Amino acid sequence: MAIEIERKYLLPAYPDALIQEGILVVEKEQFIEQTYLALDGDQELRVRKIQDLKSGRLEFTHTFKKGWGIAREEIEYAISEGLYEQVVQAFGAVPLTKRRVTAIWDNTLIEIDDYAQIQMLVLEVEFPSMEAADGFVPPAWFGQDISMEKQYSNKKVWRDLQVSKEA
């Protein structure tokens, strides 16, 4: 099983000026819908519909993650649109939606997730090792490190959406 090592930051504002100045170079933009199929302790199963905003191309994935914090086990693979639609319809859940901007900053690949449903911006950086993650010094514009704060996890935000749907 692959290990995903990432740090997450609560981005205080979208970095438009850094993009205009060429300090942050946008590689791609996507719109993502994700629905959790099962959550148990530190394990999760989810499906995603990912649309490339430039080409319109769609892809669908199924992901299993285990663990909590900076390093987690992860298995992700492609599924068909038909399977995705069947699963999402069977669950009847509200998908968590976000606009993801993948960009290069200082030779580092970053992802910025803009959660319109809850008005939150999160910046993620993936690392090849725990040593690299531990040694990373973020610039101030990244904001607060939330890598170890469960209230900002996608599954917690998704759960909250389900509760608000029922209310």
Side-chain angles (χ1 to χ4, degrees):
M1 200 176 302
I3 301 293
E4 174 189 58
I5 302 169
E6 69 182 4
R7 287 202 170 276
K8 295 183 178 191
Y9 301 89
L10 190 57
L11 190 62
Y14 192 78
D16 286 313
L18 296 175
I19 292 169
Q20 291 172 0
E21 295 169 22
I23 294 169
L24 193 59
V25 180
V26 174
E27 299 261 301
K28 66 181 171 182
E29 293 185 55
Q30 300 168 306
F31 183 75
I32 299 172
E33 292 181 9
Q34 66 188 45
T35 299
Y36 288 84
L37 310 178
L39 299 169
D40 184 32
D42 70 345
Q43 299 179 65
E44 62 190 64
L45 282 174
R46 73 165 188 234
V47 291
R48 275 184 171 171
K49 175 182 178 179
I50 305 166
Q51 179 183 20
D52 183 281
L53 293 177
K54 185 175 184 181
S55 70
R57 181 176 175 266
L58 292 174
E59 61 183 285
F60 303 87
T61 63
H62 180 266
T63 306
F64 168 77
K65 289 190 178 192
K66 182 177 183 184
W68 179 79
I70 295 171
R72 302 189 302 163
E73 296 177 53
E74 178 183 62
I75 298 173
E76 184 170 83
Y77 55 90
I79 60 173
S80 69
E81 180 176 3
L83 182 56
Y84 171 85
E85 294 297 338
Q86 286 178 46
V87 169
V88 169
Q89 287 175 9
F91 276 78
V94 175
L96 178 62
T97 61
K98 57 189 173 184
R99 178 177 150 254
R100 171 169 286 171
V101 174
T102 303
I104 302 292
W105 164 79
D106 194 31
N107 294 319
T108 301
L109 186 70
I110 65 168
E111 294 176 332
I112 298 171
D113 289 341
D114 183 353
Y115 299 86
Q117 292 155 305
I118 56 170
Q119 299 185 0
M120 179 172 73
L121 289 168
V122 174
L123 186 147
E124 298 179 0
V125 183
E126 287 196 26
F127 299 93
S129 67
M130 279 302 295
E131 293 77 22
D134 288 340
F136 182 71
V137 179
W141 66 267
F142 274 27
Q144 174 189 347
D145 186 334
I146 57 169
S147 304
M148 302 299 290
E149 297 187 35
K150 288 184 179 180
Q151 73 263 28
Y152 297 107
S153 73
N154 280 319
K155 65 183 175 184
K156 165 75 167 79
V157 171
W158 180 83
R159 273 188 178 141
D160 291 349
L161 281 175
Q162 305 320 300
V163 170
S164 67
K165 173 188 128 180
E166 296 167 5

